[in-house]
Amino acid sequence: MIRKSFFLFIFSFVLTTSFPVYAQVNAEEILATVLKRSAEVKSFEADVSIDVDVDFIRIPVKKGRVFYKAPEKFRFRATGFVLVPKKGMNFSVMEMLNKKNTAIYVGADDINHMLKIVPMTDESEFVIASVWVDKAKKRINKMDVTTNGQGNYIMEFTYGTMQYDLPETTKVTFDIQQVDIPLKFIGNLKVDQKKAGERSKGSVSLVYSNYKVNGEIPDTVFDETIEN
Amino acid sequence: MGTLIRLEFQKLFRRGMTYIGFIAILLIVLIIQIGMFVEGQKLLDFLIKSLSDVFLLEGKLINNYTVSYIILNSLWIHIPILVAIVAGDMVSGEAGRGTFRLLLVRPVSRTKLLTAKYIAAQAYAAMLVVFLMIMSLGVGRLFFDNGDMIVLMNTINIFDESDVMWRFLAAFAYGAISMWVVSGLAFTFSSIASNSLGPVVGSMSVLIVFTIMSNFSIGIFNVIKPFLFTTYLNGWQLFFDDPVEWDKVIGATLIMMFHITALYFLSLWIFTKKDITT
């Protein structure tokens, strides 16, 4: 009897440990949890500073205020001219993940679950995305997106102590094409012909502060015709 | 000496030709400003379209500073012509009008007379530059707000509004020095000739030939380039690079100051040796 019980124990131990742990983790569930938590943010406004690091663009660090209202209203306001990265704002990521996708669990490190997101629609702007989701906090720490013809971009998020999953810093690293601006009177841009048209890496760092989440933001804020 | 300079100014502003430069600048600047006011944003949107793949472009780059920079870039080739028209007439005009002998029988030395004329010519060049500055930055304010400025140098430079004005003031100061060289050249030709057309055409010919040589990046021209004053005329753009290459600015300024001084002494030498027959 003891012998039988011992073999049964060994069998069940082998059975439960012979498959990788992550095989038991449901990627769709993780993604759903992330999206559910992000959906708690209906609107927000925050101060943001934007630091652009592209080798052929020199622009000082710009400060402004960003406004967002679900599902897709966005406005950046600042004095002067600002380059705001199209990709990598927190809500644009959520908008992307909210579309019809398939999530596949591919592994984990000490801190994150690692998922692959494959879009299930033809119109999708991306081909595949790797997403690192914090195991404990269930929020996205990093994302590597391969787009449909516009190269790769990587987003890295750090968070503060807020109850909402809104980042304190975001760093977006992207591919950017060397520009060849065809005008003389606005300067004398000497584009390296070897580099012209080539894609090179650039990055933008955004630092957010003074968040005001789920407050009332009038629609007029998002009106393009209103001057900064 | 003060009286002589004052008299030269009086003569200068009694001539209709003196106002051609101011009127030309007024019209051209207004045309550019109105054009940019109507179509500028569209034009710039088209030009920086390649950035819009990656960035949302927030804010207006067509503003008083950007338009002033465009005006400077467009006009800098033409201002020397306006300067040469007047400077080329300063000495030869007297000869052409037959007033030289009358002037020189008075107890005034040729050196003092020529110096007064040289100062008046250079002051006129400076006035044109200041007028251009007032028109572009001052009158431009009626059409546009101030704001961040985009400049394409070795990179795409976007300057914060607070970082622009000193660059313009420095660029205009540099521009005045470069126009003094052109004025000095036309003045030197003027001290040789006895009609006004020759010095204007002569100085413009030198300017065109030297500019062509300065812009060629081949063999022998590369050796000659540093010695041509035209290589430094566009140096005002250096103030819109980031960071400013001060060694280049100082070097170019010194070379131009040398030209201004050398041309003064050359015209003085020619004038004091000259046989006045008219």
Side-chain angles (χ1 to χ4, degrees):
Chain A
M1 181 65 189
I2 293 168
R3 206 171 155 188
K4 196 178 172 186
S5 301
F6 177 75
F7 277 112
L8 198 65
F9 170 74
I10 292 294
F11 177 74
S12 47
F13 179 79
V14 169
L15 195 71
T16 52
T17 56
S18 58
F19 293 100
V21 173
Y22 52 77
Q24 298 168 15
V25 182
N26 188 326
E28 298 287 353
E29 259 176 36
I30 294 170
L31 188 61
T33 312
V34 169
L35 291 173
K36 192 182 160 196
R37 283 176 62 86
S38 79
E40 290 169 15
V41 178
K42 307 287 181 207
S43 69
F44 75 81
E45 54 182 285
D47 291 333
V48 60
S49 76
I50 302 182
D51 187 1
V52 176
D53 181 15
V54 176
D55 62 354
F56 59 89
I57 300 172
R58 300 251 171 89
I59 182 168
V61 175
K62 290 294 200 173
K63 288 187 166 70
R65 193 150 179 87
V66 65
F67 298 87
Y68 166 76
K69 199 171 186 178
E72 57 187 11
K73 280 186 177 165
F74 161 73
R75 186 75 204 264
F76 186 89
R77 284 192 166 185
T79 49
F81 183 77
V82 188
L83 297 171
V84 187
K86 271 188 175 173
K87 314 281 197 284
M89 304 298 273
N90 181 268
F91 49 85
S92 69
V93 170
M94 293 310 162
E95 195 187 328
M96 191 174 99
L97 295 178
N98 258 317
K99 289 185 178 157
K100 203 177 169 192
N101 301 314
T102 294
I104 303 158
Y105 196 87
V106 290
D109 57 24
D110 292 343
I111 301 161
N112 302 303
H113 295 297
M114 289 151 71
L115 314 181
K116 293 274 181 198
I117 310 291
V118 182
M120 300 306 284
T121 56
D122 290 343
E123 300 87 42
S124 175
E125 284 180 12
F126 73 103
V127 178
I128 192 163
S130 304
V131 185
W132 284 255
V133 178
D134 194 300
K135 283 176 181 170
K137 307 271 185 183
K138 299 283 185 280
R139 61 193 178 193
I140 296 171
N141 281 339
K142 188 179 170 185
M143 213 167 152
D144 183 344
V145 183
T146 304
T147 64
N148 215 342
Q150 289 186 332
N152 267 45
Y153 64 94
I154 299 167
M155 291 165 286
E156 290 158 282
F157 304 97
T158 65
Y159 300 85
T161 50
M162 265 204 314
Q163 70 172 106
Y164 299 101
D165 290 342
L166 289 167
E168 242 175 29
T169 69
T170 303
K171 186 179 181 189
V172 191
T173 309
F174 46 81
D175 293 338
I176 186 164
Q177 197 163 349
Q178 278 275 359
V179 290
D180 192 2
I181 299 179
L183 79 171
K184 191 91 174 145
F185 58 81
I186 202 164
N188 190 18
L189 185 65
K190 288 166 192 149
V191 175
D192 186 344
Q193 286 307 312
K194 284 177 192 164
K195 285 186 180 174
E198 263 183 23
R199 283 187 173 276
S200 58
K201 288 277 178 209
S203 73
V204 178
S205 299
L206 302 108
V207 180
Y208 298 90
S209 57
N210 298 326
Y211 269 111
K212 197 176 151 194
V213 184
N214 292 340
E216 192 59 44
I217 303 175
D219 283 344
T220 49
V221 168
F222 304 97
D223 191 347
E224 280 291 326
T225 57
I226 289 177
E227 293 298 321
N228 290 320
Chain B
M1 190 67 192
T3 314
L4 272 177
I5 295 169
R6 190 164 46 81
L7 285 171
E8 284 305 323
F9 271 113
Q10 281 177 4
K11 276 195 271 179
L12 188 67
F13 284 100
R14 273 189 201 141
R15 271 178 281 164
M17 139 194 329
T18 305
Y19 298 96
I20 292 174
F22 293 106
I23 294 165
I25 289 173
L26 178 87
L27 290 176
I28 297 168
V29 170
L30 279 176
I31 288 167
I32 295 174
Q33 280 169 341
I34 292 167
M36 293 307 286
F37 183 72
V38 178
E39 289 284 323
Q41 193 61 45
K42 269 189 211 165
L43 176 73
L44 203 71
D45 286 348
F46 166 72
L47 294 168
I48 56 176
K49 208 171 147 215
S50 43
L51 290 180
S52 62
D53 287 347
V54 179
F55 297 105
L56 292 168
L57 311 173
E58 286 283 336
K60 282 185 177 174
L61 275 181
I62 287 293
N63 53 53
N64 193 27
Y65 292 139
T66 304
V67 173
S68 294
Y69 185 83
I70 289 170
I71 289 168
L72 269 182
N73 237 335
S74 317
L75 272 186
W76 217 249
I77 308 154
H78 309 105
I79 301 283
I81 302 170
L82 304 173
V83 168
I85 289 171
V86 169
D89 185 61
M90 287 302 286
V91 182
S92 58
E94 298 273 6
R97 286 187 291 274
T99 50
F100 245 145
R101 278 191 293 187
L102 191 67
L103 196 64
L104 289 170
V105 290
R106 288 168 175 269
V108 176
S109 72
R110 286 194 186 194
T111 304
K112 278 188 175 176
L113 182 68
L114 191 98
T115 306
K117 282 186 178 297
Y118 197 75
I119 290 170
Q122 301 297 39
Y124 174 77
M127 276 184 239
L128 271 188
V129 174
V130 170
F131 184 69
L132 178 64
M133 185 171 81
I134 292 167
M135 278 302 296
S136 51
L137 288 172
V139 177
R141 198 67 182 79
L142 301 174
F143 293 93
F144 308 98
D145 289 328
N146 289 336
D148 295 355
M149 186 176 78
I150 183 169
V151 172
L152 313 180
M153 289 296 285
N154 298 317
T155 52
I156 298 172
N157 299 333
I158 296 165
F159 294 108
D160 195 81
E161 185 182 344
S162 60
D163 189 31
V164 176
M165 195 40 123
W166 76 268
R167 292 176 193 273
F168 269 112
L169 292 175
F172 277 109
Y174 184 100
I177 295 170
S178 65
M179 287 308 109
W180 287 342
V181 180
V182 177
S183 175
L185 180 73
F187 191 90
T188 305
F189 277 110
S190 183
S191 61
I192 301 166
S194 32
N195 67 71
S196 302
L197 192 62
V200 177
V201 174
S203 51
M204 288 322 299
S205 304
V206 170
L207 202 66
I208 291 164
V209 172
F210 279 17
T211 303
I212 291 169
M213 286 161 77
S214 298
N215 287 324
F216 264 111
S217 293
I218 47 167
I220 182 96
F221 293 132
N222 282 336
V223 181
I224 300 168
K225 249 187 218 181
F227 304 102
L228 303 176
F229 68 89
T230 43
T231 307
Y232 308 101
L233 292 187
N234 269 343
W236 62 273
Q237 287 187 330
L238 290 168
F239 293 101
F240 294 96
D241 208 351
D242 191 30
V244 175
E245 292 179 88
W246 288 105
D247 52 335
K248 275 191 186 176
V249 172
I250 292 165
T253 308
L254 289 175
I255 289 167
M256 289 195 301
M257 294 302 276
F258 169 77
H259 274 85
I260 295 162
T261 314
L263 287 166
Y264 164 71
F265 283 111
L266 181 61
S267 51
L268 188 64
W269 182 75
I270 293 165
F271 188 64
T272 47
K273 300 273 174 200
K274 195 174 180 179
D275 190 13
I276 306 292
T277 54
T278 53

